[in-house]
Amino acid sequence: MQGFSTDKLHGIHAILYALFDDKERLDRTAMRRQVQHCLGAGVHGMAALGLATEVAKLTEAERRMVMDWVAEDTAGAVPLGFTIFGASVAEQIAQVRHAESLGADWVILQPPMVGSFAAAEYIRFFGRVAEATHLPVAIQNAPAFMGRGLTAGEIADLVRQHPNIRAIKGEGAVTEIAAVIAATEGSLPVFNGRAGLEMLDNFRIGCRGLILAPDCIDYAVAAYEAFRRGDAVRAEAIYAQMLPAVVATMQGLEHLICYGKRLYAARTGEAVQDRAPAQRPNQTGIDMVARLSASLGPMQRR
């Protein structure tokens, strides 16, 4: 909505999985329940259409449909952001317009997944999309997963050139995120992801929060809240409980979608159907998910 400030963004934001039925169609009921599970866990924000949402497998119409559903189900309870996927400036602006129409609070631009270009070309691309909207804009910088990205210095140049770019969504080691925070002089919120690896160290360096898929999101919320109130011992204890699951699932993007989604399903009683092409689980992975689910227990409500 007009006037939303990214200064309000903090904490643990959910990035939703794409949940499909047995005919590989998006499952409306399962997607609604996923939002309800995340809100019940106490998340500080909701997001969709990122890498964990398998956005590249969705048609443009499906992406708009997911926006519609998540906006309806979140109903203003927490700040709402949508990742914007598209191969051209025009395609991304069209999706930004849809996000605007639904009352999204912010958007997160992914680099176009075509070709491979110099940093200056990505800076121009992001800038043209950002200038087309009144919404605060974040940049997703995930070179390890997307094969393209910007350095900390290039991100700082982008932010200086385009004041509407008001947040960064990283996917990197805490040392890399610290460099981004230093290069931008703490002038805008920086979020990390990677399923929660190095969670507490991310908070220590000044990361505003994490954007995570929902398999362990109740633990992440509890750890963040403990850290926020100054109880580092409690935060470390909670993080230690979730860390085996984080390490087990965060072995690559397709691995996360395969096993992280199944861990979420095991903890919430949902079923999992894959949309081809997909990494299929083997018995070792299925047994691993069962052990992790038993250790973590059902999804907790706050």
Side-chain angles (χ1 to χ4, degrees):
M1 57 187 172
Q2 187 92 29
F4 180 83
S5 171
T6 54
D7 291 341
K8 300 176 183 177
L9 297 175
H10 73 97
I12 305 300
H13 292 224
I15 184 74
L16 300 179
Y17 286 123
L19 300 179
F20 302 105
D21 65 17
D22 58 3
K23 293 183 171 56
E24 300 191 13
R25 301 169 302 196
L26 285 166
D27 187 325
R28 173 68 182 107
T29 302
M31 292 295 288
R32 177 184 290 117
R33 285 197 297 260
Q34 184 178 195
V35 171
Q36 292 170 343
H37 287 308
C38 292
L39 292 175
V43 296
H44 306 94
M46 195 74 64
L49 299 177
L51 297 174
T53 320
E54 298 172 79
V55 65
K57 290 184 185 178
L58 305 181
T59 66
E60 185 172 357
E62 286 177 321
R63 285 176 243 146
R64 291 172 184 257
M65 186 165 62
V66 169
M67 289 187 191
D68 294 343
W69 291 352
V70 178
E72 177 183 348
D73 297 339
T74 303
V78 294
L80 175 63
F82 291 118
T83 301
I84 303 299
F85 173 94
S88 69
V89 170
E91 184 180 2
Q92 292 208 2
I93 290 175
Q95 290 174 71
V96 169
R97 291 282 179 266
H98 195 65
E100 290 171 346
S101 75
L102 297 171
D105 295 299
W106 61 312
V107 291
I108 306 166
L109 307 185
Q110 283 191 352
M113 298 300 289
V114 291
S116 181
F117 307 101
E121 186 64 20
Y122 291 116
I123 289 173
R124 284 192 291 268
F125 182 97
F126 287 138
R128 289 175 62 193
V129 179
E131 289 172 355
T133 180
H134 66 267
L135 293 178
V137 171
I139 300 302
Q140 180 160 16
N141 199 52
F145 297 128
M146 305 183 75
R148 64 212 70 212
L150 301 174
T151 66
E154 289 161 352
I155 289 171
D157 289 342
L158 174 64
V159 171
R160 279 192 294 269
Q161 293 176 36
H162 300 284
N164 198 37
I165 296 176
R166 298 302 309 146
I168 300 297
K169 167 60 168 70
E171 293 281 355
V174 68
T175 50
E176 298 170 6
I177 299 300
V180 172
I181 293 172
T184 55
E185 300 178 332
S187 62
L188 72 173
V190 176
F191 285 79
N192 204 354
R194 295 207 308 161
L197 288 173
E198 303 175 300
M199 176 189 291
L200 301 182
D201 283 325
N202 276 287
F203 299 151
R204 292 183 181 108
I205 64 165
C207 220
R208 189 68 65 83
L210 300 178
I211 302 178
L212 306 176
D215 33 298
C216 298
I217 203 135
D218 48 342
Y219 282 84
V221 168
Y224 171 77
E225 292 291 359
F227 187 89
R228 190 183 186 196
R229 64 176 179 263
D231 190 348
V233 172
R234 177 64 177 154
E236 291 282 5
I238 296 168
Y239 184 53
Q241 290 179 277
M242 67 178 277
L243 186 56
V246 172
V247 173
T249 57
M250 195 63 248
Q251 298 294 325
L253 180 58
E254 297 303 329
H255 187 93
L256 172 69
I257 291 168
C258 177
Y259 294 111
K261 189 186 291 188
R262 282 169 170 80
L263 178 57
Y264 160 77
R267 299 191 62 217
T268 59
E270 298 289 343
V272 174
Q273 305 289 341
D274 297 309
R275 174 178 281 190
Q279 179 175 325
R280 309 294 178 170
N282 60 27
Q283 192 59 50
T284 298
I286 291 169
D287 293 343
M288 173 191 73
V289 167
R291 287 193 301 272
L292 293 171
S293 176
S295 174
L296 293 171
M299 185 75 71
Q300 302 168 33
R301 296 183 63 87
R302 291 180 66 82

